[in-house]
Amino acid sequence: LLLTDVEGAAGKDVSVPISLVNSGAVTALQFDIDLPYPMSKNVAPVMSNRSDGHSVSVRTINGSEYIYRVFVMSYDNKPLLGNSGVLMYFPIAIDAEAQAGDTCSIVLNDIVISDENGEQVASETSATSTFMVQRVPTPDLVVTDLVCGNSVVTPGEAINLTYTVANNGNAPTKGSWTEKVYFVRSDGGRLHVGSTNYDNELVNGASIDRQVA
């Protein structure tokens, strides 16, 4: 059994591919998988197209939500299809508080691979890969070029503000947003003077000119 390095974003489900390279017939296998995060509750482990009616079952070991025993078998003692490639996908739920750049290990232990006679044919009994948390692409709105048309403002007087909003992030905005304008006094107090909405998408790298009057 083989593992490849995997990346995924915090708060998301990620499917870990588990591959098998075999020179002869394999009808069943068993292994323990030690994970940095729990198995997903939203997605079940699934076999690839190498399955010929094989079923996969999973149970926890000693009640741990990080270590599982996985069984793959055929009730008809059929061999798995092919001799290489992804065998199954094991889903894990990445912690929402995981930090971008965090790395951790995924480990397979106690690997048992059986042929049609029930003989152990595994050449290795363990495998390891690295999981890295990715930074989730997000928009980042920045206000620049703010100009107030009034040098002095008296109570009740209308003001005119122009400014530019740029998306300096690595993803487009979704939905609308509200822009609120405040005057800030010398003592740090704030006075809300107006608001405006923007209801369209702003792609990353783009900017728009805005006005509040």
Side-chain angles (χ1 to χ4, degrees):
L1 287 177
L2 302 172
L3 288 169
T4 55
D5 291 345
V6 182
E7 295 182 346
K12 303 294 184 180
D13 289 341
V14 175
S15 290
V16 177
I18 301 174
S19 299
L20 173 68
V21 176
N22 53 294
S23 57
V26 171
T27 60
L29 55 92
Q30 171 188 312
F31 59 87
D32 296 345
I33 184 167
D34 191 340
L35 301 169
Y37 304 102
M39 183 174 74
S40 170
K41 296 180 180 179
N42 303 315
V43 185
V46 62
M47 296 292 295
S48 73
N49 57 9
R50 296 191 62 185
S51 170
D52 188 9
H54 291 74
S55 63
V56 55
S57 60
V58 178
R59 66 176 179 84
T60 60
I61 297 179
N62 297 327
S64 171
E65 61 178 3
Y66 301 100
I67 306 176
Y68 301 85
R69 180 155 294 163
V70 181
F71 304 89
V72 175
M73 62 170 293
S74 166
Y75 290 104
D76 300 320
N77 205 33
K78 291 182 178 180
L80 292 163
L81 302 176
N83 297 104
S84 64
V86 175
L87 175 67
M88 64 177 297
Y89 297 90
F90 197 98
I92 59 177
I94 312 307
D95 193 314
E97 302 300 320
Q99 299 298 306
D102 286 353
T103 58
C104 41
S105 295
I106 300 172
V107 181
L108 304 184
N109 286 310
D110 298 328
I111 298 171
V112 177
I113 301 176
S114 301
D115 63 14
E116 64 270 28
N117 298 314
E119 298 293 330
Q120 159 76 306
V121 295
S123 59
E124 302 288 342
T125 59
S126 64
T128 303
S129 70
T130 298
F131 177 84
M132 176 177 287
V133 179
Q134 294 176 321
R135 184 177 301 279
V136 178
T138 56
D140 181 15
L141 298 180
V142 178
V143 176
T144 61
D145 303 325
L146 175 63
V147 176
C148 180
N150 310 59
S151 58
V152 177
V153 179
T154 58
E157 181 182 0
I159 62 171
N160 184 61
L161 296 174
T162 60
Y163 53 93
T164 298
V165 176
N167 183 357
N168 291 349
N170 53 10
T173 60
K174 294 182 179 179
S176 62
W177 72 78
T178 299
E179 299 159 3
K180 296 182 180 181
V181 179
Y182 293 86
F183 283 153
V184 180
R185 299 193 300 264
S186 58
D187 62 2
R190 299 196 307 170
L191 175 65
H192 180 236
V193 295
S195 299
T196 185
N197 295 325
Y198 187 77
D199 297 322
N200 299 317
E201 179 183 81
L202 184 62
V203 299
N204 41 309
S207 62
I208 52 171
D209 293 328
R210 306 288 288 149
Q211 182 177 23
V212 174

